[in-house]
Amino acid sequence: MINSDKTNLILKYTLKNALDYNGKANFQSVLGRILSEKPELKQNIKDLAKEINETIKKVNSMKLEQIKKEISKYDFEEKKHEERDFKKLENVSGKVITRIAPEPSKYLHIGHALVFIINSGYAYKYKGRCILRLEDTNPEKSEKEYVNSILEDLKWLKIKYDKKIICSKRMKIYYDYAEKLINMGKAYVCFCSRDKIKKLRHEKTRCECYNKSVKENLSEWKRMLSKKYSPGKANLRLLGDMESNNGTLRDPIIFRISNAKHYLLGNKHIVWPLYDFENSIEDSILGITHVVRSKEFELRAELQDLIKDYLNLKKQEVIEIGRFNILGAVTQGREIRELIEKRKVSGWDDPRLVTIKSLRRRGFIPESFHELAKGAGLSKSETNIDIRILASINRKLIDDRTKRYSVIFTPKKIKIENAPELKVKAPLHPDHNYGFRNFTTKKEYYIQDNLEKNQNYRFMHLFNFRDNKFISRELDKNLDARLIHWLPVSKDLVNVEVMMDDGKIIKGFGESNLKKVKVNEIVQFERNFFAKLDKKEKNKLIFWFTHK
Ligand SMILES: [Zn+2]
């Protein structure tokens, strides 16, 4: 057997795909097979794609005989599926307790899903516990709608947790710790404007507000809590290190005033903790032992450690992983909100977004996210998630259970002279016995491709033709016919619309058997792509594009 280095692997699967499809290999199919065998190759997907394309060009120009000869050199014994798992955790003593801590100010996207899967996964791998903590202490941004969507997404993603904590219900805890800090002389009430604070922090200078006694600070803090100040007029700041090169340490604001109505508490409170403060307190008092988080939090870690040091709170083992960059997609909640407001996207489940809501609607399944998370592991380098990698995992997982149907997009009607009138059946799946689809054909067909002169074609499962004239029925390798798909012109065809991942809708005709497909079922449109049935309307079926 030839060794399985990259070039050979590409050639092997290109040849195989070409042989299965009458000499014409398909890029997505080859890529999918290669990534499922060697997932590490996705690190350099650009080069891989280039090499696959070159190989396909070479193989597709070969005669079938030559493809057969070449392929005999390879071994196609099924490789045993390797169970992927998370890497080992360091410093485990006692029960592992992890947390997932979303802020209910947006819908979850694929990056959140991966971090949450990893955190929850570790807890159960080590027979520990995982806590869900809804960090809803930003009254301007937190919404019930987001809380609900997060809970729904976690459930759909099969991310387990034992307990749910809602931070806004624990304000007294944060206030008590704030008072403790003030009593220790480690926090002070500042009356400077946001602009002045920003300017002085930039200049590494402390403002005069610091020069108050503990007693004065305590009484000002009480005045803040009893709503004597309006937003922006007073902030509680932590005594940090004004000289530090890490800007987050320069006396950061830890509590601010906001009049915004909180989705849960209304106007009960106006003094709200900022992220780092709330996070430090909660991680410690909940007994969290390990936190897996992305590298973008690195600078905040020093600040959080300082808060824990002051208050003598227990620190966590922090495991940093690369930041998940989702190539070519907007993931920032703020940016998405803006796109929605400007009506540039239709909503949080717009097919151009990589929110869980959108990917679920398109036909991605939860298991694909878990597979991807295990693969992403604890790599510290930036992890670029090309959506194609998730697609290749998803394809591998759904392929076996997905029925095949024919749909012709932007159909062109052609007539084949001398075509026999046939009753044919085609399998619902090439490898599994899911039954058959029946077609009755006459002389007229719909096709999607542009036909070339003097070129032999084969209608899949049907017959060979050239220049709109019938040649023969049986598969004939000597014809070197290009395989295309078709539908018989008939009044039984169904109108199909597909919402694509660029937000555009494409239209076509589908075989009548599609009427049996149920809403939310994922199917494959042969030689086109996978799609999920979104809606059945009176005269048409509306699908969402899953992936190639
Ligand atoms: Zn000040």
Side-chain angles (χ1 to χ4, degrees), residues 188-192 196-197 207-210 237:
Y188 60 95
V189 177
C190 166
F191 299 105
C192 299
K196 188 177 171 189
I197 293 175
C207 66
E208 61 277 13
C209 310
Y210 170 66
R237 295 179 68 181

